Amino acid sequence: MSIEIKFFGSLADIVGSNEMHLQNVSDTDSLLEKIISDFPKLNGYSFVLAVNRKIITVNQMLKTGDVVAFLPPFAGG
Amino acid sequence: MLTKEEISRYSRHLLLPEVGKKGQEKLKSSRVLVIGAGGLGCPALLYLAAAGIGKIGIVDGDVVDETNLQRQILFDDTDIGKSKAEIVKQKLQKQNPFIVIDTFYTKLTVGNTLGIFADYDIIIDGTDNFSTRYMVSDASCLLNKVLISGSLFRFQGQLSVFNFPVGKGPTYRCLFSSPPTFAQAPDCSATGVIGTLPGTIGTMMANEAIKLITGAGEILSGKLLVADMLTMNFQKIEFERNPEVIKSIPSSEEKFRKMNYEMV
């Protein structure tokens, strides 16, 4: 049961990597809780989550092979 | 109607079934406003002018700085210290004398935004800060304008078309409901940016504008293009209109003028 997680923009700096794999996470709420407890600096950062290239607004069940992206807004122009 | 000179000038467009004479006439009668003549604005403006957009507006209250030259391709050394909007107008008018260019050498505020937007059909956001991005998005919704928005971080870019179809498509707030602080999402001057990234994203912004006007292809609505120039991964992330978020957009000009966008 492995979930692929991708971090975009400045979030990758905080996590120290563009991507990681996590096991034993059943849904996006528990994934978010785990990631934030591992990287408390993420707390308060603005970002949205996408599961398999679709932005989610409510908790979603996760299954092996799912890809979760942490997407912050960019300011630069 | 296109003149004889215009028919010759735009011949490569006229050959395209997706554009043709009808599409070129639509481009000629269209009005596009570009906010920010910077990294994104420069390539977008160049291609819009070359494509024959009948009326182009440029909003930028800054002057050219030497740190702009690495990516803001409409400027050269001799432009340093001069108004970006004015330089861009001169250069675009030289590129295409058949179009009208209006300049707004000012910063956008809740006081002047609606008046400036009123004369345009499509808004292109290439600004470098969140206050302006949220303000531009709200004003576009209020005035029923389609908004093409691009943004950058180092080697990564984001691009989407908001409020299309007008009043029905997802907005910037549907994607990112509220602004982050500056420390969380710094601009190019704090993070750096590869020069070719705005070239790529800005060109695609002009492309979406041309598609919107001519009706060609599929519009990048409800989808966020996320481009990574290091890996060359380009992916489209889907999102939907959020009725709850829409409620937070000011519903009248009066309410808009009372908004405080300087929260970041």
Side-chain angles (χ1 to χ4, degrees):
Chain A
M1 167 87 187
S2 179
I3 309 292
E4 188 178 343
I5 306 157
K6 293 177 180 292
F7 297 94
F8 288 86
S10 53
L11 305 181
D13 288 353
I14 292 159
V15 173
S17 170
N18 292 325
E19 67 176 59
M20 65 168 72
H21 292 264
L22 269 188
Q23 299 196 337
N24 303 321
V25 278
S26 56
D27 55 29
T28 49
D29 278 358
S30 53
L31 171 78
L32 195 58
E33 200 180 320
K34 162 115 183 78
I35 296 282
I36 288 188
S37 86
D38 288 352
F39 306 98
K41 271 184 146 180
L42 281 178
N43 212 0
Y45 264 70
S46 177
F47 56 83
V48 292
L49 291 188
V51 177
N52 301 332
R53 301 188 178 185
K54 204 164 181 182
I55 283 172
I56 57 156
T57 48
V58 291
N59 188 30
Q60 189 171 317
M61 300 301 286
L62 293 172
K63 58 182 192 306
T64 298
D66 280 350
V67 180
V68 180
F70 282 61
L71 293 160
F74 297 161
Chain B
M1 285 295 286
L2 300 175
T3 63
K4 210 173 133 194
E5 291 90 342
E6 285 171 319
I7 287 170
S8 168
R9 183 179 188 96
Y10 303 121
S11 63
R12 300 303 186 269
H13 273 172
L14 302 188
L15 289 167
L16 297 171
E18 293 83 356
V19 182
K21 203 169 168 221
K22 219 172 172 181
Q24 193 62 50
E25 282 168 354
K26 285 183 186 166
L27 291 170
K28 185 179 177 179
S29 61
S30 68
R31 308 166 302 169
V32 178
L33 182 70
V34 178
I35 324 281
L40 292 168
C42 283
L45 283 158
L46 256 177
Y47 278 106
L48 292 172
I53 302 293
K55 176 169 153 166
I56 296 176
I58 307 159
V59 185
D60 200 308
D62 281 342
V63 295
V64 180
D65 178 276
E66 62 180 349
T67 64
N68 300 151
L69 304 179
Q70 155 263 16
R71 66 195 182 286
Q72 300 183 14
I73 51 166
L74 277 167
F75 309 123
D76 60 54
D77 253 45
T78 63
D79 299 325
I80 292 171
K82 297 178 188 164
S83 154
K84 283 186 173 183
E86 278 310 312
I87 298 292
V88 170
K89 179 180 173 155
Q90 283 169 26
K91 295 196 178 176
L92 294 187
Q93 205 68 82
K94 221 168 172 183
Q95 204 284 338
N96 192 343
F98 294 88
I99 60 172
V100 174
I101 300 163
D102 284 338
T103 56
F104 303 92
Y105 180 40
T106 176
K107 198 174 147 49
L108 277 186
T109 66
V110 287
N112 66 13
T113 296
L114 300 178
I116 293 172
F117 279 27
D119 279 345
Y120 297 87
D121 313 307
I122 294 172
I123 311 296
I124 293 193
D125 188 355
T127 51
D128 62 359
N129 66 84
F130 284 114
S131 330
T132 313
R133 287 184 182 278
Y134 282 88
M135 185 171 70
V136 164
S137 173
D138 286 355
S140 302
C141 293
L142 182 57
L143 298 180
N144 297 319
K145 312 282 180 188
V146 181
L147 171 64
I148 304 173
S149 178
S151 60
L152 316 168
F153 179 86
R154 294 185 187 156
F155 285 85
Q156 294 176 356
Q158 295 178 345
L159 169 66
S160 192
V161 178
F162 298 114
N163 200 29
F164 177 83
V166 165
K168 290 186 183 139
T171 73
Y172 184 62
R173 282 189 189 272
C174 299
L175 181 59
F176 299 115
S177 55
S178 55
T181 63
F182 176 80
Q184 288 172 12
D187 67 10
C188 297
S189 68
T191 63
V193 63
I194 190 75
T196 49
L197 175 64
T200 307
I201 303 290
T203 302
M204 290 195 282
M205 291 166 87
N207 190 57
E208 287 304 303
I210 292 166
K211 282 160 56 188
L212 279 165
I213 296 159
T214 57
E218 284 171 35
I219 300 303
L220 193 65
S221 162
K223 297 178 186 87
L224 176 72
L225 180 77
V226 180
D228 186 331
M229 303 293 278
L230 283 178
T231 59
M232 291 311 276
N233 281 332
F234 282 54
Q235 47 187 311
K236 285 186 280 187
I237 311 277
E238 291 177 37
F239 62 99
E240 287 170 359
R241 187 168 164 98
N242 183 340
E244 280 308 304
V245 169
I246 297 286
K247 287 180 194 159
S248 65
I249 299 170
S251 54
S252 69
E253 298 197 4
E254 200 187 338
K255 284 178 185 162
F256 177 83
R257 288 200 178 86
K258 285 182 184 154
M259 291 285 287
N260 176 17
Y261 290 96
E262 302 292 334
M263 71 281 263
V264 290

